[in-house]
Amino acid sequence: MRNIDDITLGRKGTPLVLIISRVAFAALMIFAIVTLFVRDLFPYSTLDFPWLGYLLGIYFLAEYVRSVFWKRNIDLSFAFPLIFAVALLHLTSVWLDGQTRFPLMNRAEHFTSYVLVTYTVWVFFIHYLPQRVWRKHIYYTALLVFSVASAFGSLNEIIELALERIFSSHLIGDQLDTSLDILMNSLGSGMFLAVRLILSAAEEQKQERKR
């Protein structure tokens, strides 16, 4: 049975997983726009047009990055289902006003999102770095992945603060919200990398025993 990642459609050979992800993301954005006009759907929603525009900007940036790497025979389509999952998690929290009403939901969203973000960055590095580099220097690779994921998280918080100041988006909670967001991002990223390194060490020991 063929892996869905290997199925392509059309003359350009567009991966099926990318097409499905695009359709799902488009449906999610259309529904999000509807919620901006029909406020009764989510009475506590803090979503506004500037923030939705920011989310769309992130998606189109991801599409641009993919197209650049595609020309170099590097396929990043695997990341798009994860981008959709992160967007869905985030919008669910925003629709329910997780910042104020369900703080634990907001923390869980950041934690889970950065498990997925770190996974995406990890797969990129281990697939497209020379094998001898990441296999012989796996802790260096993990540190590099953590740094890149953390940079994304910090940049997101800066943009969130800017939108709050300019448009009064009400997406930043009280007191230590930004600090806690960065902490949960780091914990999610660190958790993924810790598990990944443990599994890699176990696999290496298994291979040594076979020798």
Side-chain angles (χ1 to χ4, degrees):
M1 185 174 181
R2 294 179 64 186
N3 191 320
I4 189 172
D5 292 338
D6 299 327
I7 302 175
T8 60
L9 298 175
R11 293 181 179 178
K12 294 183 178 180
T14 304
L16 179 60
V17 68
L18 178 61
I19 295 173
I20 294 173
S21 299
R22 284 172 173 171
V23 171
F25 192 87
L28 180 62
M29 290 299 104
I30 291 171
F31 181 71
I33 293 172
V34 170
T35 67
L36 289 171
F37 291 99
V38 187
R39 289 289 181 177
D40 291 342
L41 287 173
F42 297 103
Y44 298 101
S45 174
T46 57
L47 184 65
D48 56 17
F49 280 106
W51 189 252
L52 187 59
Y54 171 55
L55 295 180
L56 284 168
I58 292 175
Y59 179 81
F60 287 120
L61 177 62
E63 287 278 8
Y64 172 75
V65 170
R66 178 193 169 275
S67 68
V68 170
F69 281 98
W70 180 262
K71 293 175 183 177
R72 301 178 183 180
N73 295 319
I74 296 175
D75 186 11
L76 299 180
S77 299
F78 74 90
F80 282 79
L82 303 179
I83 292 173
F84 170 75
V86 170
L88 181 59
L89 281 170
H90 175 71
L91 284 172
T92 301
S93 178
V94 171
W95 283 326
L96 299 177
D97 190 15
Q99 290 278 15
T100 305
R101 301 177 65 240
F102 306 106
L104 288 178
M105 173 187 289
N106 182 255
R107 306 302 167 224
E109 173 221 331
H110 276 271
F111 180 90
T112 306
S113 294
Y114 273 81
V115 169
L116 298 178
V117 168
T118 306
Y119 167 75
T120 302
V121 178
W122 173 269
V123 171
F124 174 80
F125 277 115
I126 66 171
H127 275 258
Y128 305 118
L129 278 178
Q131 291 292 308
R132 63 181 181 277
V133 173
W134 79 265
R135 285 188 180 278
K136 291 184 178 180
H137 306 284
I138 190 169
Y139 293 102
Y140 168 79
T141 303
L143 181 60
L144 184 60
V145 169
F146 183 80
S147 299
V148 172
S150 296
F152 285 145
S154 298
L155 180 61
N156 178 71
E157 293 300 323
I158 292 171
I159 294 173
E160 188 175 289
L161 179 61
L163 291 174
E164 174 76 19
R165 297 299 184 188
I166 297 171
F167 299 105
S168 299
S169 59
H170 303 295
L171 286 167
I172 296 181
D174 297 330
Q175 299 176 346
L176 299 175
D177 177 68
T178 298
S179 300
L180 290 173
D181 285 350
I182 293 175
L183 174 62
M184 296 310 295
N185 293 348
S186 299
L187 288 175
S189 183
M191 176 68 75
F192 169 81
L193 290 172
V195 172
R196 185 63 265 176
L197 290 174
I198 290 171
L199 292 176
S200 296
E203 183 179 351
E204 185 176 345
Q205 288 180 355
K206 185 177 180 180
Q207 290 177 352
E208 288 179 355
R209 290 173 183 173
K210 288 182 178 180
R211 294 172 187 172

